[in-house]
Amino acid sequence: MSVTDIVLALFTFMLLAYAIYDEFIMGAKNGKTRLRVNLRRRNKLDSIIFIGLLAILLYNNIQANGTALTNYLLIGLALVAFYLSFIRWPKLLFKPKGFYFANTFITYDRIRSMNLSEDGVLVFELEQKKLLIRVNELDDLEKIYKVMVENQ
């Protein structure tokens, strides 16, 4: 097993562990999920470029008579990247004491203000930064409002 194979296996394992955490573990942490909202996907072009680069590496490895293990690892990494980019939805999970946004748990007491922009972007202002939440469906904004009113 070469250093390349070790690095590919490590990155594939890390992305797979992230996908499992995001899909199964995060929803079970910090109490029962009160509301789950799908967010807009971003960076599709970056994902397409990454998967395309993996395809080029696979092609070069096949042409250079590289090992089969490297081929399988490149295919596995591309499949996990495809799942994370195009199948899985980014989500906002509301819990009894806070919410998960971008895999970070934020308690409700950290929110200083909440605004809605003209283009449907919900802005939570925290102590030092602003969270821009772009929901997939505009009807979800009303559901978020109801959950936030219940917690105040």
Side-chain angles (χ1 to χ4, degrees), residues 78-110:
L79 288 174
V80 173
F82 181 81
Y83 168 77
L84 288 173
S85 302
F86 298 106
I87 297 173
R88 177 193 70 93
W89 283 92
K91 56 189 161 283
L92 183 64
L93 299 175
F94 285 93
K95 302 290 186 163
K97 296 185 186 210
F99 62 94
Y100 279 100
F101 177 71
N103 297 322
T104 304
F105 187 72
I106 299 162
T107 58
Y108 293 123
D109 60 351
R110 289 185 56 200

Side-chain angles (χ1 to χ4, degrees), residues 65-136:
N65 292 325
T67 64
L69 178 62
T70 304
N71 292 341
Y72 293 134
L73 289 171
L74 286 169
I75 292 169
L77 185 59
L79 288 174
V80 173
F82 181 81
Y83 168 77
L84 288 173
S85 302
F86 298 106
I87 297 173
R88 177 193 70 93
W89 283 92
K91 56 189 161 283
L92 183 64
L93 299 175
F94 285 93
K95 302 290 186 163
K97 296 185 186 210
F99 62 94
Y100 279 100
F101 177 71
N103 297 322
T104 304
F105 187 72
I106 299 162
T107 58
Y108 293 123
D109 60 351
R110 289 185 56 200
I111 299 173
R112 300 292 176 240
S113 68
M114 183 172 78
N115 298 313
L116 183 63
S117 70
E118 293 177 6
D119 57 345
V121 177
L122 186 62
V123 180
F124 285 134
E125 189 171 332
L126 304 178
E127 301 94 13
Q128 297 179 0
K129 70 181 208 175
K130 293 181 181 180
L131 301 178
L132 303 175
I133 299 173
R134 294 171 177 87
V135 295
N136 195 36

Side-chain angles (χ1 to χ4, degrees), residues 25-92:
I25 298 172
M26 191 171 59
K29 289 176 65 177
N30 293 318
K32 183 180 176 188
T33 301
R34 298 177 66 198
L35 177 65
R36 177 188 168 147
V37 177
N38 287 339
L39 303 175
R40 272 192 236 157
R41 290 186 174 133
R42 299 183 308 175
N43 303 329
K44 284 187 179 182
L45 183 61
D46 293 341
S47 302
I48 292 170
I49 291 170
F50 179 68
I51 294 169
L53 288 172
L54 289 175
I56 291 170
L57 287 173
L58 178 64
Y59 176 78
N60 284 342
N61 193 49
I62 291 171
Q63 291 299 321
N65 292 325
T67 64
L69 178 62
T70 304
N71 292 341
Y72 293 134
L73 289 171
L74 286 169
I75 292 169
L77 185 59
L79 288 174
V80 173
F82 181 81
Y83 168 77
L84 288 173
S85 302
F86 298 106
I87 297 173
R88 177 193 70 93
W89 283 92
K91 56 189 161 283
L92 183 64

Side-chain angles (χ1 to χ4, degrees), residues 1 3 16 31 68 110-111 113 147:
M1 186 176 236
V3 174
L16 190 59
R110 289 185 56 200
I111 299 173
S113 68
V147 169

